[in-house]
Every structure is written in C-alpha cells, then in structure tokens.
Amino acid sequence: MDINRIAQIICSVAESENKELSDIAQEGIFHMPELAFAYECGKAIIKESKSIFGETTVEWCRECDLKNGGPTDLVFKLDSGYIVAIEFKLRDTKTAYQNDIEKLGRIKEEKCIRLFCALVDVFKHQLPDDGRQAHIECLAYYQVKPLHKVTFDTKQSRYVKPVSCVACVWEVGQSL
C-alpha cells in the first residue's frame, strides 16, 4: 500500500482546488467546506486505487462510523481486511487537530492505517509553522509521523495580512 501516494494526492487536490477557487470565486482553498475537500480527495484517491492499494476491490466510505467517537471523514475498506481512515481539518486550532488525532488513535481495528490531513492557514511571516504542526508532531501519547507537506499562497478575505496554506498529511500510530 502506497500511503505516501495518498498524501501526495491530498496535497495535490488542495493546490488544484486553491487555483480553481481563486479563478472562480476570488477566494482560495479555505473557501471550500471541509467535507467537500474530503470528498474531492476521496475521488482522486479512488481513481488510483489499484496502484495505491494493490487490490481490485476497494470500498470508498464517507463519514464512516468506526466506533471511535464520531464519524471518520474518509475511509477506504480493502478486501484484505485493511482499512485506511483519514480525518481532515481546514483552518482550525491545535486543539481541534489534537482531537482528530485522538479520535484516529481510538480506532480498534488492527489492520488500520490512520492518516490526518490539516490545511493550515499560516501568516507568511510565520512560515513554515506557526506552532500548530509542531504541537501535533510532539503529542505525548501518539506517534505522529509527517508524510507530505506543501506550502502555497492562497486568497482569503478573513484576514488583512497575506496567508499561505500549508497542506500537511501525517500518519498516526495507535495511542502509546
């Protein structure tokens, strides 16, 4: 299974949606609702499912109940018994990011790959990290491993100062 390719696809979708929204709405990626972004990522991943997962039958689930404290944004179930569970956050707090990582850590499935994606709004003078990324990468009870990160300029009307998007994908290990 190529989880690095999944991470690359997610970041590529973020950049592509940012460009499209800039052209049609004069806003960037943060104009997009979180679940819409998860859906677009799901479509892009399932289109490459054979090369990513190495299996012909992959079930794509949105907002799937894995009995871990609420629906998981995006799940792929494989014939081999593996599942890939992905949580997404767009422009949120380190507490919200931590809550999703903890939720992923509560998944009881042994054959589970847990991924967390955050599209982080960072003021340009604070690049590459305003502290939110470092916070989740140092969580005491979880193994959080960066897989892929890209930074790009984005349009937004929420702040006066220019903002960039840091699209990040991490693999989350079970709680220690």
Side-chain angles (χ1 to χ4, degrees):
M1 183 173 328
D2 190 352
I3 63 170
N4 288 310
R5 182 64 188 136
I6 293 171
Q8 291 167 355
I9 289 171
I10 290 170
C11 291
S12 177
V13 169
E15 288 183 291
S16 174
E17 289 294 326
N18 183 67
K19 183 180 180 336
E20 185 173 2
L21 287 167
S22 178
D23 291 344
I24 64 174
Q26 288 67 55
E27 288 281 343
I29 189 64
F30 298 114
H31 186 68
M32 183 176 219
E34 182 177 290
L35 288 177
F37 180 67
Y39 176 78
E40 289 299 325
C41 290
K43 283 192 336 186
I45 293 165
I46 204 73
K47 286 177 183 176
E48 292 188 32
S49 63
K50 178 78 170 130
S51 64
I52 291 171
F53 302 114
E55 299 187 26
T56 54
T57 306
V58 178
E59 181 184 351
W60 168 28
C61 306
R62 299 173 301 105
E63 298 184 43
C64 186
D65 184 5
L66 298 175
K67 313 259 186 274
N68 60 326
T72 299
D73 295 332
L74 185 60
V75 175
F76 296 95
K77 297 179 179 180
L78 288 64
D79 278 346
S80 63
Y82 271 92
I83 64 170
V84 177
I86 310 172
E87 285 290 346
F88 293 86
K89 281 290 182 246
L90 276 67
R91 185 171 41 197
D92 222 319
T93 65
K94 65 183 178 183
T95 302
Y97 298 163
Q98 183 173 333
N99 290 342
D100 268 6
I101 287 169
E102 289 172 357
K103 185 165 93 171
L104 285 167
R106 288 190 298 267
I107 297 172
K108 300 296 183 205
E109 304 286 333
E110 284 188 35
K111 292 182 170 182
C112 181
I113 294 170
R114 300 158 183 83
L115 303 177
F116 175 66
C117 168
L119 301 186
V120 186
D121 53 336
V122 180
F123 291 114
K124 290 189 176 217
H125 70 278
Q126 294 178 311
L127 285 171
D129 183 10
D130 62 2
R132 289 177 280 178
Q133 297 167 57
H135 172 78
I136 65 166
E137 289 174 10
C138 295
L139 290 174
Y141 299 105
Y142 295 91
Q143 301 166 356
V144 182
K145 177 180 129 187
L147 293 177
H148 196 69
K149 294 181 184 182
V150 297
T151 302
F152 52 87
D153 292 338
T154 189
K155 293 180 182 177
Q156 53 74 43
S157 57
R158 186 173 183 170
Y159 305 113
V160 174
K161 293 181 181 179
V163 171
S164 293
C165 174
V166 182
C168 311
V169 181
W170 295 271
E171 182 176 15
V172 178
Q174 284 188 299
S175 58
L176 301 173

